[in-house]
Amino acid sequence: MTNRCITTPIYYLNGDPHLGHVYTTVAADVLARYWRLAGARVKFLTGTDEHGQKVAQAAEEAGETPQVYTDRMSALFREMTDVVNATPDVFLRTTEERHHKSAQALWGKLVKAGHIYESTYKGWYAVRDEAYYEESEIVDGKAPTGAPVEWREEPSYFFRLSAWERPLLDYYEANPKAIAPLGRRNEILGFIKGGLRDLSISRTNFDWGVAVPGDPTHVMYVWIEALSYYLTCLGFPDEDSPDLKDFWPESIQLMGKDIIRFHAVYWPAFLMAADINPPKRIFSHGWWTHNGEKMSKSLGNVVNPFRLVDTYGVDSVRYFLMREIPFGGDGDYSEEGFVQRINSDLANDLGNLSQRVLTFIYKNAGAVIPTPDFLQSEDHEILAKAAHLHDKLRDDMEAQALQAYVQHIWEVISEANRYVDAQKPWSLNKSGTPEDKARMGTVLYVLAEVIRHAAIYVQPVMPDSAGKILDQLGQTDRTFESLKTPLKPGTKLSEPVPVFPRVEKM
Ligand code: MSP
């Protein structure tokens, strides 16, 4: 049995959850659900990033203590996770004691191996990005991301990042799939080749963080602390923890393109310095804009996932996010585009197929899956297409090609809609000759079998809706393995009800 560890970044608590957060969480959930259905043991990790100056400032603006503020905001992110029907195995808050211990233990290992030294940091810092910038990166007095910067001069501990240029390049050369997509890998290699400077990893001008072991006048830089969350969830610092052994080598870390540098440069360098292998794969997805504009609190155009789910249903939101853009690319959200996508792919393609076929069987074939007669070439053809999905979809999931996963299922759904139109079961029913009745049974059997395949494979993306279709089809075994056994004739259907009603823009 294989193991998989799927992770999202942990979310900063400086604002409400929005579509960007939901995107990473849903993508990770689709992968986690897929691998569970494929029979793997899965650990799906997520949580909230609660320390640092940015969160401390947000608490102050809200007139609350950081603890009260983070308790409230973390609960909101937990709620978002539930609302989008995500199923993490661990939801970690970085304010938990076990995380403090883990982050401090990682620091301790770095000190012991001689990778940390004390000096003074002089340079620019952007609180919004929680990132340090070089003088050469400052554009018109701002960070390259547009974030305001402040000049800092403070005593600081440094991590000897400069020593990791060569080892990182060697590591990525030996592991060509460690960063995806390819464009991002090239970007990261270019950045490393441009030269790495030692990294300031502690702060002294505020105290909302994890104390540096042995020097409580410093708190750990929020990124070195936050990144250790991946290890905390698997039982670190207990290096004999079974989860660490089973799942760490199988880690697939998802994150947006804005934070890939932290994950693909700093993180593996910290890990290698602490004698821990880097995660197996880092996948960076793109960014969503809203009606062509960057989403931001100040523009007031942030897409609220709670309203979206409330209005259109959770599966519509999950489907849209996975289908609309290639995983790894950027995309635009507009409510018109959303509604159009849902109506065409869900109400028309999948909804129509399952509704018309199941209703037809219910009304005209005694509400049981018919027994097939002779299979003709067109029957074999469409059944083969459904059967081939198994390997195709597995390759998609191995590559985190989430949009391709959905598209491949929809190719078979479209094929099935064409098959219904060509085979005309209603005409066969009307003619009523024994030959036509037998042919009708075959056609309906083939269609029910294709719908079963589609619904079983759609489960990771739309668990509720796929479940309803499978309920109506009378199917209790829903694993991918179950598809190796042909659909059983005689299975009783329950009364079909439409699963994907047409929606209108609200
Ligand atoms: N706390 C850090 C991550 C630490 S991981 C050890 C952080 N948090 S965040 O809340 O700012 O961002 C979390 C995730 O949301 C990132 O993967 C980011 O790319 C994603 N998104 C935020 N806005 C987004 C869009 N508009 N579109 C797509 N994803 C976006 O960074």
Coordinates of all heavy atoms in Angstrom, one line a residue, residues 8-16 18-25 47-51 54-55 77 94 128-130 222-230 253-260 262-263 267 283-290 293-296 325 329-331, ligand 1:
T8 N -1.3 21.8 2.5 CA -1.6 23.2 2.1 C -0.6 24.0 2.9 O -0.1 23.6 3.9 CB -3.0 23.7 2.4 OG1 -3.1 24.0 3.8 CG2 -4.1 22.7 2.0
P9 N -0.4 25.3 2.4 CA 0.3 26.2 3.3 C -0.6 26.4 4.5 O -1.8 26.1 4.5 CB 0.5 27.5 2.5 CG 0.0 27.2 1.2 CD -0.8 26.0 1.2
I10 N 0.0 27.0 5.6 CA -0.9 27.4 6.7 C -1.2 28.8 6.5 O -0.4 29.6 6.1 CB -0.3 27.1 8.1 CG1 1.2 27.4 8.1 CG2 -0.5 25.7 8.5 CD1 1.9 27.3 9.4
Y11 N -2.5 29.2 6.7 CA -3.0 30.5 6.3 C -2.7 31.6 7.4 O -3.0 31.3 8.6 CB -4.5 30.4 6.0 CG -4.7 29.4 4.9 CD1 -5.3 28.1 5.2 CD2 -4.3 29.6 3.6 CE1 -5.5 27.2 4.2 CE2 -4.5 28.7 2.6 CZ -5.0 27.5 2.9 OH -5.2 26.5 1.9
Y12 N -2.3 32.7 6.9 CA -2.1 33.9 7.8 C -3.5 34.3 8.3 O -4.5 34.3 7.5 CB -1.5 35.1 7.1 CG 0.0 35.0 6.9 CD1 0.5 35.2 5.7 CD2 0.8 34.6 7.9 CE1 1.9 35.2 5.5 CE2 2.2 34.6 7.8 CZ 2.7 34.8 6.5 OH 4.1 34.8 6.3
L13 N -3.6 34.8 9.5 CA -4.9 35.2 10.1 C -5.1 36.7 10.0 O -5.8 37.2 10.9 CB -5.0 34.7 11.5 CG -4.9 33.2 11.6 CD1 -5.0 32.8 13.1 CD2 -6.0 32.5 10.8
N14 N -4.5 37.4 9.1 CA -4.7 38.9 9.1 C -5.9 39.3 8.4 O -6.2 40.5 8.3 CB -3.5 39.5 8.4 CG -3.3 39.1 7.0 OD1 -3.2 37.9 6.7 ND2 -3.2 40.0 6.1
G15 N -6.7 38.4 7.8 CA -7.9 38.8 7.1 C -8.8 37.5 7.0 O -8.4 36.4 7.3
D16 N -10.0 37.7 6.5 CA -11.0 36.6 6.3 C -10.5 35.7 5.2 O -9.9 36.1 4.3 CB -12.4 37.2 6.0 CG -13.0 37.9 7.2 OD1 -12.4 37.8 8.3 OD2 -14.0 38.5 7.0
H18 N -10.5 33.8 1.8 CA -11.1 34.1 0.5 C -10.9 33.0 -0.5 O -10.3 32.0 -0.2 CB -10.6 35.5 0.0 CG -9.1 35.5 -0.2 ND1 -8.4 34.8 -1.1 CD2 -8.1 36.3 0.5 CE1 -7.1 35.1 -1.1 NE2 -6.9 35.9 -0.1
L19 N -11.2 33.3 -1.7 CA -11.2 32.3 -2.8 C -9.8 31.7 -3.0 O -9.7 30.5 -3.3 CB -11.7 32.9 -4.1 CG -12.1 31.8 -5.1 CD1 -13.4 31.1 -4.8 CD2 -12.3 32.5 -6.5
G20 N -8.8 32.5 -2.8 CA -7.4 32.0 -3.0 C -7.1 30.9 -2.0 O -6.5 29.9 -2.3
H21 N -7.5 31.1 -0.7 CA -7.3 30.1 0.3 C -8.0 28.8 0.0 O -7.5 27.7 0.1 CB -7.7 30.6 1.7 CG -7.1 31.9 2.1 ND1 -7.8 33.0 2.5 CD2 -5.8 32.3 2.2 CE1 -7.0 34.0 2.7 NE2 -5.7 33.6 2.6
V22 N -9.3 29.0 -0.4 CA -10.2 27.9 -0.7 C -9.6 27.1 -1.8 O -9.6 25.8 -1.8 CB -11.6 28.4 -1.0 CG1 -12.4 27.3 -1.8 CG2 -12.3 28.8 0.2
Y23 N -8.9 27.7 -2.7 CA -8.3 27.1 -3.9 C -7.3 26.0 -3.5 O -7.4 24.9 -3.9 CB -7.7 28.1 -4.8 CG -7.2 27.5 -6.2 CD1 -8.1 26.7 -6.9 CD2 -6.0 27.9 -6.7 CE1 -7.6 26.2 -8.2 CE2 -5.5 27.4 -7.9 CZ -6.4 26.6 -8.6 OH -5.9 26.1 -9.8
T24 N -6.3 26.5 -2.7 CA -5.3 25.5 -2.2 C -5.9 24.4 -1.4 O -5.6 23.2 -1.6 CB -4.2 26.2 -1.4 OG1 -4.0 27.6 -1.9 CG2 -2.9 25.5 -1.5
T25 N -6.8 24.7 -0.5 CA -7.5 23.7 0.3 C -8.2 22.7 -0.5 O -8.1 21.5 -0.3 CB -8.4 24.4 1.4 OG1 -7.5 25.1 2.3 CG2 -9.2 23.4 2.2
G47 N -3.8 24.2 8.2 CA -3.8 24.9 9.5 C -3.7 26.4 9.4 O -3.8 26.9 8.3
T48 N -3.3 27.0 10.5 CA -3.2 28.5 10.5 C -1.9 28.9 11.0 O -1.4 28.4 12.0 CB -4.4 29.1 11.2 OG1 -4.6 28.4 12.5 CG2 -5.7 29.1 10.4
D49 N -1.4 30.0 10.4 CA 0.0 30.6 10.6 C -0.3 31.8 11.5 O -0.8 32.8 11.0 CB 0.6 30.9 9.3 CG 2.1 31.3 9.4 OD1 2.6 31.4 10.5 OD2 2.7 31.5 8.3
E50 N -0.1 31.7 12.8 CA -0.6 32.6 13.7 C 0.3 33.7 14.3 O -0.1 34.6 15.0 CB -1.4 31.9 14.8 CG -2.3 30.8 14.3 CD -3.3 30.3 15.3 OE1 -3.3 30.7 16.4 OE2 -4.1 29.4 14.9
H51 N 1.6 33.5 14.1 CA 2.6 34.4 14.7 C 3.1 35.4 13.7 O 2.6 35.5 12.5 CB 3.8 33.6 15.2 CG 3.5 32.7 16.4 ND1 3.8 31.4 16.4 CD2 2.9 33.0 17.6 CE1 3.4 30.9 17.6 NE2 2.8 31.9 18.3
K54 N 2.8 40.6 11.1 CA 1.6 40.9 10.3 C 0.3 40.5 11.1 O -0.7 41.3 11.2 CB 1.7 40.1 9.1 CG 0.5 40.0 8.2 CD 1.0 39.6 6.8 CE 0.0 38.7 6.0 NZ 0.3 38.9 4.6
V55 N 0.3 39.4 11.8 CA -0.8 38.9 12.5 C -0.9 39.8 13.8 O -2.1 40.2 14.2 CB -0.7 37.4 12.9 CG1 -1.9 37.0 13.8 CG2 -0.8 36.6 11.6
F77 N -11.1 30.0 9.8 CA -10.5 29.2 8.7 C -10.8 27.7 8.9 O -11.0 27.0 7.9 CB -8.9 29.4 8.8 CG -8.5 30.6 8.0 CD1 -8.6 31.9 8.5 CD2 -8.1 30.5 6.7 CE1 -8.3 33.0 7.8 CE2 -7.7 31.6 5.9 CZ -7.8 32.9 6.5
T94 N -0.3 27.2 14.8 CA 1.1 27.3 15.2 C 1.2 27.8 16.6 O 2.3 27.8 17.1 CB 1.9 28.3 14.2 OG1 1.2 29.5 14.2 CG2 2.0 27.7 12.8
R128 N 3.9 43.0 5.2 CA 2.8 42.4 4.5 C 3.2 41.0 3.9 O 2.5 40.0 3.9 CB 2.3 43.3 3.4 CG 1.0 42.8 2.8 CD 0.4 43.9 1.9 NE 0.9 43.6 0.5 CZ 0.7 44.4 -0.5 NH1 0.1 45.6 -0.3 NH2 1.2 44.1 -1.7
D129 N 4.5 41.0 3.4 CA 5.0 39.7 2.9 C 5.7 38.9 3.9 O 6.1 37.8 3.6 CB 6.0 40.0 1.7 CG 5.4 40.8 0.6 OD1 4.1 40.8 0.5 OD2 6.1 41.4 -0.2
E130 N 5.9 39.4 5.1 CA 6.8 38.8 6.1 C 8.1 38.4 5.4 O 8.6 37.2 5.5 CB 6.1 37.6 6.8 CG 4.9 38.0 7.7 CD 5.3 38.7 9.0 OE1 6.4 39.2 9.2 OE2 4.4 38.7 9.9
V222 N 9.1 34.4 11.4 CA 7.9 33.6 11.2 C 8.0 32.5 10.2 O 7.4 31.4 10.3 CB 6.6 34.5 11.0 CG1 6.7 35.2 9.7 CG2 5.3 33.8 11.1
W223 N 8.8 32.7 9.1 CA 8.8 31.7 8.1 C 9.5 30.4 8.5 O 9.1 29.3 8.2 CB 9.4 32.2 6.8 CG 8.4 32.7 5.9 CD1 8.0 34.0 5.7 CD2 7.5 32.0 5.1 NE1 7.0 34.1 4.8 CE2 6.6 32.9 4.4 CE3 7.3 30.6 4.8 CZ2 5.6 32.5 3.5 CZ3 6.3 30.2 3.9 CH2 5.5 31.1 3.3
I224 N 10.7 30.6 9.2 CA 11.4 29.3 9.7 C 10.5 28.5 10.6 O 10.4 27.3 10.6 CB 12.8 29.6 10.2 CG1 13.5 28.3 10.6 CG2 12.8 30.5 11.4 CD1 15.0 28.5 10.9
E225 N 9.7 29.3 11.4 CA 8.8 28.7 12.4 C 7.7 28.0 11.6 O 7.3 26.9 11.9 CB 8.4 29.7 13.4 CG 7.4 29.2 14.4 CD 6.2 30.0 14.5 OE1 6.2 31.3 14.7 OE2 5.1 29.4 14.3
A226 N 7.1 28.8 10.7 CA 5.9 28.3 10.0 C 6.2 27.0 9.2 O 5.4 26.1 9.2 CB 5.3 29.3 9.2
L227 N 7.3 27.0 8.5 CA 7.6 25.9 7.7 C 7.8 24.6 8.5 O 7.5 23.5 8.0 CB 8.9 26.2 6.9 CG 8.7 27.2 5.7 CD1 10.1 27.7 5.3 CD2 8.0 26.5 4.5
S228 N 8.2 24.8 9.7 CA 8.3 23.5 10.5 C 7.0 22.9 10.8 O 6.9 21.7 11.3 CB 9.1 23.7 11.8 OG 9.1 25.0 12.2
Y229 N 5.9 23.6 10.5 CA 4.6 23.0 10.8 C 4.4 21.6 10.1 O 3.8 20.7 10.6 CB 3.5 23.9 10.3 CG 2.5 23.5 9.2 CD1 1.4 22.7 9.5 CD2 2.7 23.8 7.9 CE1 0.5 22.2 8.6 CE2 1.8 23.4 6.9 CZ 0.7 22.6 7.2 OH -0.1 22.2 6.3
Y230 N 5.0 21.5 8.9 CA 4.9 20.3 8.1 C 5.4 19.1 8.9 O 4.9 18.0 8.9 CB 5.6 20.4 6.8 CG 5.1 21.4 5.8 CD1 5.8 22.6 5.5 CD2 3.8 21.3 5.3 CE1 5.4 23.5 4.6 CE2 3.3 22.3 4.4 CZ 4.1 23.4 4.1 OH 3.6 24.3 3.2
Q253 N 3.7 19.0 -1.4 CA 3.4 20.3 -0.8 C 2.8 21.2 -1.9 O 3.5 21.5 -2.8 CB 4.6 20.9 -0.1 CG 5.2 19.9 0.9 CD 6.1 20.5 1.9 OE1 6.8 21.5 1.6 NE2 6.1 19.9 3.1
L254 N 1.6 21.7 -1.7 CA 0.9 22.6 -2.6 C 1.0 24.0 -2.0 O 0.9 24.2 -0.8 CB -0.5 22.3 -2.8 CG -1.0 20.9 -3.2 CD1 -2.5 20.9 -3.4 CD2 -0.2 20.4 -4.4
M255 N 1.3 25.0 -2.9 CA 1.2 26.4 -2.5 C 1.1 27.3 -3.7 O 1.4 26.9 -4.8 CB 2.5 26.7 -1.7 CG 3.7 27.1 -2.5 SD 5.0 25.9 -2.8 CE 4.6 24.5 -1.8
G256 N 0.7 28.6 -3.4 CA 0.6 29.5 -4.5 C 2.0 30.0 -4.9 O 3.0 29.8 -4.2
K257 N 2.1 30.6 -6.1 CA 3.4 30.9 -6.7 C 4.1 32.0 -5.9 O 5.3 32.2 -6.0 CB 3.2 31.4 -8.2 CG 2.3 32.6 -8.3 CD 2.1 33.0 -9.8 CE 1.3 34.2 -9.9 NZ 1.1 34.6 -11.3
D258 N 3.3 32.8 -5.1 CA 3.9 33.9 -4.3 C 4.8 33.4 -3.2 O 5.7 34.1 -2.8 CB 2.8 34.8 -3.7 CG 1.8 33.9 -2.9 OD1 1.4 32.8 -3.4 OD2 1.3 34.3 -1.8
I259 N 4.6 32.1 -2.8 CA 5.4 31.7 -1.7 C 6.3 30.5 -2.1 O 6.8 29.7 -1.2 CB 4.6 31.4 -0.4 CG1 3.4 30.4 -0.7 CG2 4.0 32.7 0.1 CD1 2.7 30.0 0.5
I260 N 6.5 30.3 -3.3 CA 7.4 29.1 -3.7 C 8.8 29.3 -3.3 O 9.5 28.4 -2.9 CB 7.3 28.8 -5.2 CG1 8.1 27.6 -5.5 CG2 7.7 30.0 -6.1 CD1 7.7 26.8 -6.7
F262 N 10.1 30.5 -0.6 CA 10.2 30.1 0.8 C 10.3 28.6 0.8 O 11.0 28.0 1.6 CB 9.1 30.6 1.6 CG 9.0 32.1 1.7 CD1 8.1 32.8 0.8 CD2 9.7 32.8 2.6 CE1 8.1 34.2 0.9 CE2 9.7 34.2 2.7 CZ 8.8 34.9 1.8
H263 N 9.4 27.9 0.0 CA 9.3 26.5 0.0 C 10.4 25.8 -0.8 O 10.8 24.6 -0.5 CB 7.9 26.0 -0.5 CG 6.8 26.2 0.5 ND1 6.2 27.4 0.6 CD2 6.3 25.4 1.4 CE1 5.3 27.3 1.6 NE2 5.3 26.0 2.1
W267 N 13.3 26.4 2.7 CA 12.8 25.2 3.3 C 13.8 24.0 3.1 O 14.3 23.4 4.1 CB 11.4 24.9 2.9 CG 10.6 23.8 3.5 CD1 9.8 23.0 2.9 CD2 10.6 23.3 4.9 NE1 9.2 22.0 3.7 CE2 9.7 22.2 5.0 CE3 11.3 23.7 6.1 CZ2 9.5 21.5 6.2 CZ3 11.0 23.0 7.2 CH2 10.2 22.0 7.3
F283 N 4.5 21.7 -5.4 CA 3.7 22.1 -6.6 C 3.2 23.5 -6.4 O 2.5 23.7 -5.4 CB 2.6 21.1 -6.9 CG 2.0 21.4 -8.2 CD1 2.3 20.5 -9.3 CD2 1.2 22.5 -8.5 CE1 1.7 20.8 -10.6 CE2 0.6 22.7 -9.7 CZ 0.9 21.9 -10.8
S284 N 3.5 24.4 -7.3 CA 3.0 25.8 -7.1 C 1.9 26.1 -8.1 O 2.1 25.9 -9.3 CB 4.2 26.7 -7.3 OG 3.8 27.9 -7.9
H285 N 0.8 26.5 -7.5 CA -0.4 26.8 -8.4 C -0.4 28.3 -8.7 O 0.4 29.1 -8.0 CB -1.7 26.3 -7.8 CG -2.1 27.0 -6.5 ND1 -2.4 28.3 -6.4 CD2 -2.1 26.5 -5.3 CE1 -2.7 28.6 -5.1 NE2 -2.5 27.5 -4.4
G286 N -1.2 28.7 -9.6 CA -1.3 30.1 -10.0 C -2.2 31.0 -9.1 O -2.6 30.5 -8.0
W287 N -2.5 32.2 -9.5 CA -3.3 33.1 -8.8 C -4.6 33.4 -9.5 O -4.6 33.5 -10.7 CB -2.5 34.4 -8.5 CG -1.9 34.3 -7.2 CD1 -1.1 33.3 -6.7 CD2 -2.0 35.3 -6.1 NE1 -0.8 33.6 -5.4 CE2 -1.3 34.8 -5.0 CE3 -2.6 36.5 -6.0 CZ2 -1.2 35.5 -3.8 CZ3 -2.5 37.2 -4.8 CH2 -1.8 36.7 -3.7
W288 N -5.6 33.6 -8.7 CA -6.9 34.0 -9.2 C -7.1 35.5 -9.1 O -6.8 36.1 -8.1 CB -8.1 33.4 -8.4 CG -8.3 31.9 -8.6 CD1 -7.7 30.9 -7.9 CD2 -9.1 31.3 -9.6 NE1 -8.1 29.7 -8.4 CE2 -9.0 29.9 -9.4 CE3 -10.0 31.8 -10.5 CZ2 -9.7 29.0 -10.2 CZ3 -10.7 30.9 -11.3 CH2 -10.5 29.5 -11.2
T289 N -7.6 36.1 -10.2 CA -8.0 37.5 -10.2 C -9.5 37.5 -10.2 O -10.1 36.4 -10.4 CB -7.5 38.2 -11.4 OG1 -7.8 37.5 -12.6 CG2 -6.0 38.4 -11.3
H290 N -10.1 38.6 -10.0 CA -11.6 38.8 -10.0 C -12.0 39.8 -11.0 O -11.5 41.0 -10.9 CB -12.0 39.2 -8.6 CG -13.5 39.3 -8.4 ND1 -14.1 39.9 -7.4 CD2 -14.5 38.9 -9.2 CE1 -15.4 39.8 -7.5 NE2 -15.7 39.2 -8.6
E293 N -9.1 41.8 -12.1 CA -8.3 42.6 -11.2 C -7.8 41.7 -10.0 O -8.4 40.8 -9.6 CB -9.1 43.7 -10.5 CG -9.3 44.9 -11.4 CD -10.1 46.0 -10.7 OE1 -10.9 45.7 -9.9 OE2 -9.8 47.2 -11.1
K294 N -6.6 42.1 -9.5 CA -6.1 41.5 -8.3 C -7.1 41.6 -7.2 O -7.7 42.6 -7.0 CB -4.7 42.2 -7.9 CG -3.9 41.4 -7.0 CD -2.6 42.0 -6.7 CE -2.1 41.2 -5.4 NZ -1.0 41.6 -4.8
M295 N -7.3 40.5 -6.4 CA -8.2 40.6 -5.3 C -7.5 41.3 -4.1 O -6.4 40.8 -3.8 CB -8.6 39.2 -4.8 CG -9.8 38.6 -5.6 SD -10.2 37.1 -4.8 CE -9.5 35.9 -6.0
S296 N -8.1 42.3 -3.5 CA -7.5 42.8 -2.3 C -8.5 43.5 -1.4 O -9.6 43.9 -1.9 CB -6.4 43.9 -2.7 OG -7.0 45.1 -3.0
I325 N -9.3 26.4 -14.7 CA -7.9 26.7 -15.1 C -7.0 25.5 -14.9 O -7.2 24.7 -14.0 CB -7.3 28.0 -14.4 CG1 -7.3 27.8 -12.9 CG2 -8.1 29.2 -14.7 CD1 -6.6 28.9 -12.1
G329 N -1.5 27.2 -13.6 CA -1.6 28.5 -14.3 C -2.5 29.5 -13.5 O -3.1 29.2 -12.5
D330 N -2.5 30.7 -14.0 CA -3.3 31.8 -13.4 C -4.7 31.7 -14.0 O -4.9 31.1 -15.1 CB -2.8 33.2 -13.7 CG -1.4 33.4 -13.0 OD1 -1.2 32.8 -11.9 OD2 -0.6 34.1 -13.5
G331 N -5.7 32.4 -13.3 CA -7.0 32.3 -13.9 C -7.9 33.5 -13.4 O -7.5 34.1 -12.4
Ligands
MSP1 N1 1.4 31.8 6.0 C1 2.0 31.8 4.7 C2 2.3 30.3 4.3 C3 3.1 29.6 5.3 S1 3.3 27.9 4.8 C4 4.4 27.3 5.9 C5 1.1 32.4 3.7 N2 -0.2 32.5 4.0 S2 -1.3 33.2 3.1 O1 -2.6 33.1 3.8 O2 -0.9 34.5 2.7 O3 -1.5 32.4 1.8 C6 -1.9 31.1 1.8 C7 -2.1 30.5 0.4 O4 -3.2 31.2 -0.3 C8 -0.9 30.6 -0.5 O5 -0.7 29.4 -1.2 C9 -1.3 31.7 -1.5 O6 -0.7 31.5 -2.8 C10 -2.8 31.4 -1.6 N3 -3.5 32.5 -2.2 C11 -3.7 33.8 -1.6 N4 -4.4 34.6 -2.5 C12 -4.5 33.9 -3.7 C13 -5.2 34.1 -4.9 N5 -5.7 35.3 -5.2 N6 -5.2 33.1 -5.8 C14 -4.7 31.9 -5.6 N7 -4.1 31.6 -4.4 C15 -3.9 32.6 -3.5 O7 1.5 32.8 2.6

